[in-house]
């Protein structure tokens, strides 16, 4: 090949090389533009700011978002170092990080930077950008994490509060996971120890601990409730009992809260178990108070009824008794009908005893209170007690010889003893058995006296008691509850007033009644009365009942005029006849208003007034005041079916001369009139 050809070939090769170089340059430019576009795209979409510093730590590139974040234009910071932009403390921190990057390190830091709307928190990632034969650059990616940090802090604070609440709550929070309609896992919160005594670790070690902890009688209800919750049938709360780790039985309230997936399938349920033992106790106390109030109201109503019946019945008995006594006065003892009249009088006396028991139950039976030795009382009643007990029953006594006295009515205490003895004997029935009568003394506190069957509890202190035990049939809870109800009896019809009367007597003496009974083993009833202090016993204690005047005394002859006031016509006519037989001229009035009129017209000649207390228009109390105003010296004998204490409580200090309780005998009326006229 000649030189020309070689030259031409060389030019062609150079041109081809040049063309390749141009293509490579175009390709490189295209790659550069693509890289630049990618960088711009990255910078544009990066949620923070991007900047590059040279080896002198001066900013050579700054993304436009810097204006959005810091309120400055990019060219305002170009060419500046951190010392020219930030406060000294922050600038020093940035300088140290930049120098570490220039040494080849990758640095990530969190700093708080000033902002027009307040300080903002940034996380900055610094890394070296290496260049060929040139000093490295500092690449910086900064992201504003202020809101995220606030959310993280709020979340940590919320978690802390929740944890603190969970640890301090006294309720028991649990979670039950459910798969294919069956519980598969359970988580127990820290409150379980406060409610059950067991820690969450105990439940993890023993998955069936909770079920075994449920009170035996409530276990079926608990398992059934859980099954209904899992089946989606209920989310209602269940109250039941558990056995605490310490062995005590406690009430809890279990409230489930179901959790469902998108398909409304139950995936779990959370629960809150609260200790409601105290609430249950208060509810039971409230119910007991309501029961006692209703019981007291019922007894009070029955007491009012019993008192009213007894009062009216006394008037009828007075007529029967008076007419029978008048008949006996007019026939000789040898008469064929004399025994029949006496038998009728005896029956009338028994009827009067019943009315006195009704008055005692109603709280309107009066008491002649004086120091009384219960042991002496029981000893004096030996014959009466023997006559009251069945022949198949063995009677034993255990009487305390050194018994403090009580302020009591001897007659009423006799009634208490007889009612207890008769009740014990009838509990044994036709079988053989033992009745033990005891007296003694004991100290009682509020807790002991709280078991008294009376609603009114006496204050704590020293008590003397009468106790009767039997080996009879005993009583169940329902029978014990109704033991003191009027006319309630497990015996034959017509009995049962005795224990009601006993309750009225004990209530009136501010005592207490304790009952201990078990079906098939017998009953013990103890009646307690407040013991007198030594300095109170000025009078000599006695156990003897008060004596009564003889019915055989001859009727005296009186003179003068008596005003007889009673709203019962039959009774008024009877008493008028009796008084006339005494020798009196008798004026009558049917009510208080007529009484005042008759007395005003005959005030100077009236010797005495016999005044019934319960009358229409003006009652006996108002009439008495008017009589006393018209003539202060007039002797007035009050008359009532109630006892003296109840009947005369409105006359304190008004000076009634005497009192007679219906039904009264002729001899009783005679003695009272004689006493009043003599001024005794």
């Amino acid at each position: 090949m000649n030189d020309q050809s070689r030259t031409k070939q060389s030019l062609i090769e150079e041109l081809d090389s040049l063309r390749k170089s141009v293509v490579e340059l175009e390709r490189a430019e295209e790659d550069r533009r693509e890289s630049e576009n990618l960088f711009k795209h990255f910078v544009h979409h990066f949620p923070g700011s991007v900047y590059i510093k040279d080896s002198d730590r001066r900013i050579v590139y700054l993304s436009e978002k810097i204006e959005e974040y810091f309120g400055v234009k990019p060219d305002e910071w170009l060419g500046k170092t951190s010392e020219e932009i930030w406060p000294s403390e922050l600038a020093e921190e940035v300088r140290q990080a930049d120098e570490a990057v220039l040494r080849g390190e990758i640095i990530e830091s969190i700093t708080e930077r000033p902002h027009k709307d307040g300080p903002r928190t940034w996380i900055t990632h610094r890394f070296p950008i290496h260049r060929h034969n040139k000093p490295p650059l500092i690449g910086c990616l900064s992201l504003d994490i202020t809101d995220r940090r606030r959310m993280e802090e709020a979340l940590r604070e919320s978690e802390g509060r929740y944890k603190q609440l969970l640890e301090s709550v006294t309720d028991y929070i649990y979670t039950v996971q459910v798969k294919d309609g069956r519980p598969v896992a359970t988580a127990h919160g820290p409150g379980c120890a406060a409610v059950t005594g067991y820690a969450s670790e105990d439940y993890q070690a023993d998955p069936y601990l909770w079920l075994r902890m449920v009170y035996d009688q409530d276990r079926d209800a608990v398992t059934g409730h859980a099954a209904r919750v899992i089946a989606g049938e209920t989310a209602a709360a269940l109250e039941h009992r558990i056995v605490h780790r310490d062995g005590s039985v406690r009430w809890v309230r279990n409230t489930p809260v179901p959790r469902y997936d998108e398909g409304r399938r139950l995936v779990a349920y959370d629960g809150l178990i609260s200790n409601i033992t105290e609430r249950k106790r208060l509810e039971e106390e409230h119910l007991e108070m309501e029961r006692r109030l209703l019981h007291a109201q019922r007894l009070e109503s029955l007491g009012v009824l019993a008192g009213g019946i007894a009062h009216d019945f006394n008037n009828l008995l007075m007529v029967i008794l008076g007419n029978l006594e008048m008949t006996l006065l007019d026939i000789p003892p040898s008469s064929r009908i004399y025994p029949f009249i006496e038998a009728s009088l005896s029956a009338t006396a028994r009827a009067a005893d019943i009315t006195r028991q009704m008055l005692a139950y109603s709280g309107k039976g009066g008491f002649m209170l004086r120091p009384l030795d219960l042991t002496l009382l029981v000893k004096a009643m030996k014959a009466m007690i023997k006559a009251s007990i069945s022949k198949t029953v063995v009677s034993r006594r255990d009487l305390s010889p050194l018994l403090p006295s009580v302020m009591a009515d001897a007659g009423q205490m006799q009634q208490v003893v007889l009612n207890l003895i008769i009740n014990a004997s009838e509990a044994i029935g036709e079988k053989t058995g033992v009745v033990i009568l005891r007296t003694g003394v004991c100290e009682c506190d509020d807790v002991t006296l709280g078991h008294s069957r009376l609603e009114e509890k006496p204050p704590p202190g020293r008590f003397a008691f009468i106790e009767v035990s039997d080996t009879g049939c005993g009583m169940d809870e329902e029978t014990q509850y109704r033991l003191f109800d009027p006319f309630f009896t497990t015996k034959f019809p017509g009995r049962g007033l005795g224990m009601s009367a006993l309750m009225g007597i004990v209530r009136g003496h501010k005592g207490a009644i304790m009952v201990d009974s078990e079906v098939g083993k017998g009953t013990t009833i103890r009646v307690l009365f407040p013991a007198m202090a030594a300095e109170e016993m000025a009078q000599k204690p006695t156990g003897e009942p008060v004596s009564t005047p003889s019915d055989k005394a001859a009727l005296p002859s009186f003179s003068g005029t008596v005003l007889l006031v009673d709203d019962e016509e039959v009774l008024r006519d009877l008493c008028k006849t009796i008084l006339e037989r005494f020798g009196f001229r008798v004026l009558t009035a049917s009510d208080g208003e007529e009484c005042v009129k008759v007395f005003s017209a005959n005030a100077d000649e009236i010797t005495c007034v016999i005044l019934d207390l319960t009358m229409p228009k003006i009652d006996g109390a108002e009439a008495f005041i008017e009589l006393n105003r018209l003539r202060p010296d007039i002797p007035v004998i009050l008359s009532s079916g109630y006892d003296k204490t109840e009947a005369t409580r409105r006359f304190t200090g008004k000076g009634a001369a005497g009192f007679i309780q219906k039904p009264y005998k002729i001899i009783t009326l005679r003695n009272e009139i004689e006493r009043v006229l003599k001024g005794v």
Side-chain angles (χ1 to χ4, degrees), residues 201 338 373 382 441:
E201 295 80 8
Y338 199 93
D373 185 319
K382 183 176 180 181
V441 61

Side-chain angles (χ1 to χ4, degrees), residues 345-641:
L345 277 171
S346 177
T348 306
R350 290 177 59 191
D353 287 338
I354 293 175
T355 62
R356 279 191 288 273
Q357 290 189 34
M358 293 176 70
L359 287 171
Y361 169 74
S362 69
K364 295 182 179 179
F367 306 130
M368 298 287 291
L369 301 179
R370 55 180 177 160
L372 187 69
D373 185 319
L374 296 179
T375 294
L376 294 179
L377 176 85
V378 171
K379 288 180 178 179
M381 294 177 63
K382 183 176 180 181
M384 298 172 65
I385 293 172
K386 184 177 180 180
S388 302
I389 294 180
S390 169
K391 294 181 180 180
T392 61
V393 173
V394 177
S395 174
R396 295 176 184 169
R397 297 193 301 175
D398 180 11
L399 307 180
S400 173
L402 300 174
L403 202 62
S405 298
V406 297
M407 285 298 291
D409 183 297
Q412 298 289 351
M413 291 301 102
Q414 284 184 325
Q415 191 68 51
V416 167
V417 173
L418 288 176
N419 285 350
L420 290 174
I421 289 293
I422 292 171
N423 200 66
S425 177
E426 291 182 347
I428 296 173
E430 300 297 327
K431 302 177 183 178
T432 58
V434 178
V435 171
I436 303 175
L437 174 59
R438 297 184 180 90
T439 60
V441 61
C442 61
E443 293 284 342
C444 296
D445 55 18
D446 285 324
V447 176
T448 302
L449 294 171
H451 296 291
S452 172
R453 295 307 175 102
L454 297 179
E455 299 297 331
E456 309 87 348
K457 314 298 181 188
R462 196 166 182 237
F463 291 81
F465 65 81
I466 300 170
E467 180 183 280
V468 174
S469 301
D470 66 68
T471 58
C473 58
M475 296 179 286
D476 56 23
E477 286 294 328
E478 182 180 357
T479 303
Q480 291 185 52
Y481 177 74
R482 300 191 61 190
L483 177 61
F484 300 101
D485 284 3
F487 301 105
F488 170 76
T489 178
T490 58
K491 316 298 186 309
F492 50 86
R495 304 297 294 273
L497 184 60
M499 297 306 289
S500 304
L502 179 145
M503 184 183 71
I505 294 170
V506 177
R507 183 195 296 125
H509 284 79
K510 304 186 186 311
I513 304 174
M514 307 296 183
V515 179
D516 182 15
S517 185
E518 187 175 348
V519 175
K521 293 189 177 181
T523 300
T524 297
I525 299 179
R526 175 177 287 192
V527 181
L528 302 102
F529 300 98
M532 296 176 63
E535 58 271 16
E536 294 179 311
M537 294 187 291
Q539 302 180 49
K540 183 179 179 181
T542 179
E544 298 296 328
V546 180
S547 60
T548 56
S550 173
D551 294 351
K552 302 299 183 180
L555 296 180
S557 178
F558 295 103
S559 62
T561 301
V562 173
L563 173 57
L564 174 65
V565 188
D566 201 299
D567 61 324
E568 290 286 343
E569 182 180 0
V570 179
L571 183 57
R572 193 169 60 245
D573 290 343
L574 171 65
C575 289
K576 181 175 182 293
T577 302
I578 295 172
L579 291 170
E580 287 176 342
R581 187 147 186 169
F582 288 169
F584 289 113
R585 172 174 173 258
V586 182
L587 302 176
T588 62
S590 59
D591 56 56
E593 186 177 304
E594 186 180 359
C595 165
V596 174
K597 289 180 181 178
V598 173
F599 185 83
S600 298
N602 303 275
D604 294 337
E605 61 180 282
I606 293 177
T607 306
C608 176
V609 178
I610 300 176
L611 178 63
D612 186 32
L613 288 177
T614 307
M615 294 182 297
K617 296 183 181 179
I618 298 177
D619 65 10
E622 295 179 29
F624 175 82
I625 294 172
E626 189 61 25
L627 296 179
N628 206 40
R629 186 187 65 80
L630 292 172
R631 186 178 153 191
D633 65 331
I634 186 67
V636 178
I637 299 174
L638 302 177
S639 174
S640 174

Side-chain angles (χ1 to χ4, degrees), residues 46-232:
F46 183 66
S49 64
V50 178
Y51 54 95
I52 300 174
K53 296 181 181 181
D54 61 16
S55 58
D56 294 327
R57 298 187 296 105
R58 294 186 179 277
I59 298 175
V60 295
Y61 175 81
L62 194 63
S63 64
E64 295 179 353
K65 288 188 178 180
I66 198 71
E67 183 176 0
E68 177 185 344
Y69 294 137
F70 294 101
V72 296
K73 294 184 180 300
D75 56 2
E76 294 181 32
W77 280 6
L78 285 174
K80 294 184 178 180
T81 64
S82 59
E83 289 85 352
E84 297 173 285
I85 297 174
W86 306 115
S88 58
E89 185 176 344
L90 177 58
E92 177 62 20
E93 184 179 339
V94 173
R95 183 189 66 77
Q96 292 179 7
D98 288 346
E99 289 180 350
V101 172
L102 291 174
R103 292 193 299 268
E105 298 180 29
I106 297 175
I107 303 297
E108 186 174 273
S109 61
I110 297 177
T111 57
E112 189 176 89
R113 299 180 182 181
H115 187 268
K116 62 179 181 178
D117 297 328
R120 308 286 292 183
T121 302
W122 290 77
I123 181 170
T124 303
H125 183 76
R126 291 179 173 85
F127 53 92
I129 302 175
H130 298 285
R131 297 184 298 172
H132 183 66
N133 294 326
K134 290 183 179 181
L137 300 176
I138 303 172
C140 300
L141 301 176
S142 290
L143 186 64
D144 186 347
I145 60 170
T146 305
D147 294 336
R148 192 185 79 183
R149 287 290 294 271
R150 288 174 180 171
M151 287 189 293
E152 288 175 352
E153 290 177 2
L155 180 60
R156 283 195 297 270
E157 184 179 351
S158 176
E159 288 177 346
R161 286 198 304 267
Y162 176 75
K163 184 179 180 181
Q164 184 179 14
L165 177 64
L166 195 62
E167 291 176 348
S168 62
V169 71
T170 56
D171 290 340
Y172 170 10
I173 301 172
Y174 67 91
T175 298
V176 176
Q177 302 293 333
V178 178
K179 185 176 182 180
D180 297 329
R182 298 182 62 186
V184 294
T186 305
H188 302 269
C192 61
V195 176
T196 68
Y198 294 93
S200 56
E201 295 80 8
D202 297 319
Y203 294 96
Q204 293 170 2
D206 184 357
Y208 296 100
L209 174 60
W210 169 252
L211 186 60
R212 288 204 306 275
M213 189 188 311
V214 176
Y215 194 66
D216 287 345
Q217 297 178 4
D218 296 348
R219 190 164 291 139
D220 290 343
V222 171
T223 55
H225 179 259
R228 290 193 298 275
V229 171
I230 292 174

